[in-house]
Amino acid sequence: MSLALYGHPFSSYTQKVLVALYENATPFEFRCLGPDTPEHTAEWLRRWPLRKFPLLLDGERQLVETSVIIEYLQLAHPGPVRLLPADALAALDVRFLDRFFDLHVMDAVQLAVDSALKRAPTTSAEGRALAGERLERSYAWLEGHLAGKAWGAGADFTLADCAAAPSLFYADWTHPIADRYPLLRAYRARLLARPSFARAVEEARPFRPLFPLGAPDRD
Ligand SMILES: N[C@@H](CCC(=O)N[C@@H](CS)C(=O)NCC(=O)O)C(=O)O
């Protein structure tokens, strides 16, 4: 069955799935949710009225929630890069880190972004300050966690890194990762150099003016 992904190149959660697809050179059609292709938006909303993207279509099977989508890709379209380890306990560590990046990094970024867009009950300044406090706690924990690791969960690139790449990318734009976190800064740089994520970042570059907090002139 052919795969189709509904999403947007600048969206962090779309990028999380794009990284998984690019890692294994999995063929798929990208259906961009934008003003030029209203038919994709209509189909996405028909299929997922909860209005969250990305959404993956595999024939008539549809999947939402990026962690589930990537688990599905590992099961139904596996490639040379195993995104979930075969060992069940090692896979649990990977799932934990995936949750960490979504809940303790990306959610904080989202709070700052939503506040800036007036989609949250906090002012832009309050949202950014709260996000900064949360991100500081996450950065400190990650700095300790990353000691001795090449990738988020150890020696291999996994689902955890698919989640880490866009979340740390945008987190650093929201609340810069300070010099006191050298391992975390180096990990973010390694993620940016990984061809799968480098490609996603390039494809999203034209949309940088959309970042409501102002995109810095780097990366
Ligand atoms: N937990 C969801 C989060 C998806 C999500 O929040 N996607 C954002 C785009 S990056 C979205 O749909 N935003 C639209 C909105 O919240 O209205 C997942 O992992 O797929």
Side-chain angles (χ1 to χ4, degrees):
M1 277 300 171
S2 61
L3 294 173
L5 184 71
Y6 291 82
H8 190 278
F10 198 59
S11 125
S12 56
Y13 284 104
T14 303
Q15 290 175 5
K16 179 176 162 183
V17 174
L18 286 173
V19 168
L21 289 162
Y22 293 159
E23 279 294 323
N24 280 315
T26 309
F28 71 101
E29 179 190 333
F30 189 65
R31 297 188 180 159
C32 187
L33 302 174
D36 299 338
T37 45
E39 69 280 13
H40 293 337
T41 304
E43 182 62 7
W44 158 62
L45 288 176
R46 187 184 74 74
R47 289 186 171 275
W48 193 233
L50 275 89
R51 293 174 172 260
K52 293 284 179 189
F53 54 89
L55 179 149
L56 183 77
L57 209 53
D58 188 3
E60 266 320 295
R61 182 192 284 269
Q62 71 176 45
L63 297 115
V64 289
E65 287 298 324
T66 50
S67 308
V68 174
I69 292 173
I70 294 173
E71 294 241 12
Y72 176 79
L73 289 172
Q74 175 66 53
L75 292 170
H77 300 271
V81 179
R82 254 207 97 95
L83 295 168
L84 274 302
D87 177 79
L89 283 179
L92 200 59
D93 288 343
V94 167
R95 291 189 179 99
F96 161 68
L97 282 159
D98 169 66
R99 296 297 72 232
F100 186 92
F101 286 111
D102 280 11
L103 299 175
H104 298 297
V105 180
M106 204 55 228
D107 269 9
V109 173
Q110 203 61 55
L111 171 63
V113 166
D114 284 346
S115 303
L117 292 174
K118 304 200 186 319
R119 295 197 311 196
T122 36
T123 65
S124 185
E126 287 166 348
R128 195 147 186 186
L130 262 174
E133 282 171 31
R134 290 186 195 172
L135 287 171
E136 272 301 316
R137 281 197 290 275
S138 301
Y139 294 168
W141 184 83
L142 282 164
E143 183 67 17
H145 169 79
L146 287 169
K149 294 187 181 67
W151 298 108
D156 299 321
F157 191 95
T158 65
L159 161 69
D161 305 295
C162 298
S167 60
L168 289 175
F169 180 76
Y170 288 117
D172 186 55
W173 283 11
T174 303
H175 179 75
I177 302 171
D179 290 342
R180 64 181 167 277
Y181 305 121
L183 297 180
L184 183 57
R185 286 168 64 95
Y187 175 50
R188 183 179 182 274
R190 271 197 303 286
L191 290 165
L192 270 161
R194 183 92 178 177
S196 57
F197 187 53
R199 179 176 168 187
V201 167
E202 277 320 303
E203 289 167 348
R205 195 174 291 280
F207 301 99
R208 287 186 179 200
L210 293 179
F211 193 63
L213 306 173
D217 191 18
R218 56 182 165 84
D219 295 328

